[in-house]
């Protein structure tokens, strides 16, 4: 059967229309925008990093050690006389001033002993007065020949005995007064009292029974131990003048306490290879308590002209220690460096880095040599 020319024209027209639709789908997306043109990629923004600048100047190299505070002075308060504890005059854990009353021992037995000694003194004084009068009278009679020389010498000796007895009993009276004074127990220095170790009614034995422990805490010391190989640097620093010491209390929101190195022990502990040092700190605000731990910072060496960077900028590889140096075009260069002495936060660069160069301190793990960076901080 032959197809009519009209049907051929309809078929050709349909194919043309389908081709046109296909072209339209290829050239236009659903939003009507031209999809034929390739999209242009956004320029790389770079890896975000934090940086710091290498600086040149003085740097103090320091040791950081854990130390423990200790009272500047500690005294076990005891009675110096036997007797019964009559009263306590302090509040446990309170500050007391030098000379302030701490405790009272029953004074009555010692008051009676003092009265007895003072009575003997009065009696001796009367005996001395009589001996002086007798000697004066017999001296007059000796000149007139009414008494013998031997009798006169006897009265003269009696006068000497009376004087000696008076001096002896006066000394006994003073001793009794001292003993009576010891019944009043006062603070030997400003300090903080501990808990009572004896209570009213207790019988006290002289120089044996503890009543309370008194700690002097202003000033206060912090004791710490350093390795023996650091001692020479400490000695060298001491020769330049007083060596400052800082102590930071864990959990304390205030700044570190400023003190001064006061004591270096006279021997190294052979078992640990360390030597004990102590710093003296003013403690008027009571921030340090005896027995408390503190982080001590002790400067050992001062470098006058050194290039340094933060310790966190250092990285390690099989080829050695390196840093990422940020170049002016915002790319980084991986550069090997030679390090020197360091503190807790900074390290001296002996070779490989110049003053003013910028190094990456955070974000190094995402970098390679030549990578582009974006500086977020520093």
């Amino acid at each position: 059967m032959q197809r009519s020319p009209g049907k051929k024209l309809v078929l050709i027209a349909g194919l043309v229309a389908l081709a046109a639709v296909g072209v339209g789908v290829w050239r236009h997306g659903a939003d009507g925008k031209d999809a034929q043109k390739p999209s242009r990629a956004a320029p790389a923004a770079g890896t975000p990093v934090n940086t710091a600048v290498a600086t040149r100047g003085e740097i103090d190299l320091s040791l950081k050690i854990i130390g423990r505070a200790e009272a500047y002075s500690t005294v076990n308060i005891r009675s110096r006389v036997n007797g019964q504890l009559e009263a306590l005059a302090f509040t446990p854990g309170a500050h007391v001033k030098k000379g302030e009353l701490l405790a009272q021992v029953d004074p009555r037995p010692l008051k009676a002993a003092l009265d007895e000694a003072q009575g003997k003194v009065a009696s001796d004084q009367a005996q001395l007065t009589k001996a002086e009068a007798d000697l004066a009278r017999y001296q007059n009679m000796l000149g007139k020949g009414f008494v013998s020389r031997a009798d006169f010498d006897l009265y003269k000796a009696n006068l000497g005995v009376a004087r000696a007895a008076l001096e002896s009993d006066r000394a006994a009276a003073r001793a009794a007064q001292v003993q009576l004074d010891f019944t009043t127990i006062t603070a030997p220095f400003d300090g903080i009292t501990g808990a009572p170790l004896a209570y009213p009614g207790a019988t006290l034995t002289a120089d044996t029974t503890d009543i309370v422990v008194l700690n002097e805490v202003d000033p206060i010391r912090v004791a710490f131990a350093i390795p023996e190989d650091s001692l020479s640097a400490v000695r060298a620093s001491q020769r330049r003048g007083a060596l400052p010491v800082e102590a930071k209390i864990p959990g304390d929101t205030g700044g570190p306490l400023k003190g001064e190195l006061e004591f270096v022990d006279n021997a190294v502990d052979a078992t640990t290879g360390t030597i004990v040092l102590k710093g003296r700190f003013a403690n008027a605000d009571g921030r340090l308590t005896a027995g408390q731990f503190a982080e001590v910072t002790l400067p050992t060496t001062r470098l006058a002209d050194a290039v340094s960077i933060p310790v966190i900028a250092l990285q390690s590889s099989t080829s050695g220690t390196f840093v990422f140096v940020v170049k002016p075009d915002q790319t980084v260069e991986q550069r090997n460096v030679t390090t020197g002495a360091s503190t807790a936060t900074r390290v001296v660069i002996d070779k490989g880095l110049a003053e003013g160069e910028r190094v990456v301190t955070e974000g190094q793990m995402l970098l390679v040599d030549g990578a582009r960076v974006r500086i977020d901080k520093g």
Side-chain angles (χ1 to χ4, degrees):
M1 183 178 67
Q2 293 184 343
R3 293 181 179 176
S4 65
K7 288 183 178 180
K8 289 182 179 181
L9 291 176
V10 172
L11 178 60
I12 293 172
L15 291 175
V16 171
L18 285 174
V21 171
V23 171
V25 171
W26 174 71
R27 291 179 57 88
H28 298 279
D31 55 358
K33 294 183 179 180
D34 191 350
Q36 185 179 10
K37 297 179 181 178
S39 59
R40 181 178 298 175
T47 303
V49 295
N50 292 349
T51 64
V53 175
T55 59
R56 180 184 294 276
E58 289 189 348
I59 182 170
D60 285 326
L61 306 180
S62 303
L63 291 172
K64 285 193 179 293
I65 322 102
I66 298 299
R68 186 187 290 272
E70 60 181 38
Y72 198 78
S73 301
T74 298
V75 172
N76 288 8
I77 302 297
R78 298 172 178 171
S79 173
R80 299 179 66 179
V81 294
N82 296 324
Q84 187 177 57
L85 181 59
E86 189 175 70
L88 295 176
F90 65 89
T91 301
H95 288 263
V96 295
K97 295 292 185 181
K98 180 179 180 179
E100 188 173 329
L101 180 66
L102 296 178
Q104 180 67 56
V105 180
D106 185 0
R108 292 173 297 176
L110 295 175
K111 180 64 169 64
L114 175 61
D115 291 342
E116 182 181 359
Q118 289 176 336
K120 288 183 178 180
V121 169
S123 175
D124 291 341
Q125 184 64 60
Q127 292 294 330
L128 178 61
T129 300
K130 181 180 180 299
E132 288 174 342
D134 287 346
L135 184 62
R137 183 167 54 254
Y138 279 94
Q139 187 172 17
N140 186 41
M141 294 174 66
L142 178 65
K144 296 178 180 181
F146 295 140
V147 295
S148 66
R149 185 71 188 182
D151 289 340
F152 174 77
D153 289 342
L154 178 60
Y155 283 106
K156 187 176 181 180
N158 288 341
L159 176 60
V161 171
R163 284 175 176 168
L166 177 60
E167 288 303 315
S168 177
D169 286 340
R170 279 177 174 170
R174 288 194 295 270
Q177 181 64 62
V178 170
Q179 291 293 98
L180 180 61
D181 292 342
F182 285 159
T183 62
T184 300
I185 301 173
T186 59
F189 49 74
D190 294 356
I192 299 179
T193 58
L197 303 176
Y199 291 87
T203 299
L204 306 178
T205 301
D207 300 321
T208 300
T209 308
D210 292 332
I211 299 174
V212 68
V213 176
L214 182 66
N215 283 342
E216 183 180 7
V217 294
D218 183 22
I220 194 170
R221 289 189 179 100
V222 175
F224 53 94
I226 66 171
E228 59 181 310
D229 56 6
S230 298
L231 183 58
S232 58
V234 172
R235 293 294 192 192
S237 298
Q238 282 185 307
R239 287 192 287 270
R240 295 195 295 267
L243 189 57
V245 183
E246 290 187 356
K248 184 167 181 58
I249 307 167
D252 189 288
T253 56
L257 289 91
K258 308 290 185 179
E260 181 178 310
L261 185 65
E262 184 181 62
F263 169 80
V264 178
D265 206 353
N266 59 2
V268 173
D269 188 333
T271 60
T272 62
T274 60
I275 185 167
V276 174
L277 282 67
K278 296 182 181 181
R280 172 177 172 164
F281 295 83
N283 194 38
D285 53 2
R287 288 174 62 192
L288 273 173
T289 302
Q292 186 176 21
F293 284 108
E295 184 182 76
V296 179
T297 302
L298 177 70
T300 56
T301 306
R302 174 172 292 177
L303 302 180
D305 187 28
V307 175
S308 66
I309 60 174
V311 172
I312 57 175
L314 293 180
Q315 300 292 304
S316 296
S317 69
T318 55
S319 61
T321 303
F322 67 91
V323 293
F324 284 108
V325 180
V326 181
K327 298 194 295 185
D329 61 357
Q330 300 299 295
T331 61
V332 294
E333 173 191 352
Q334 180 176 323
R335 186 185 303 172
N336 287 346
V337 293
T338 302
T339 60
S342 64
T343 68
T345 58
R346 298 190 71 82
V347 60
V348 174
I349 302 300
D350 291 335
K351 186 178 179 181
L353 198 63
E355 175 187 2
E357 289 193 288
R358 188 176 295 276
V359 296
V360 177
T361 56
E362 286 189 30
Q364 300 99 314
M365 299 301 294
L366 302 176
L367 300 180
V368 294
D369 190 25
R372 181 172 296 278
V373 295
R374 183 185 75 245
I375 298 176
D376 283 351
K377 184 178 180 182

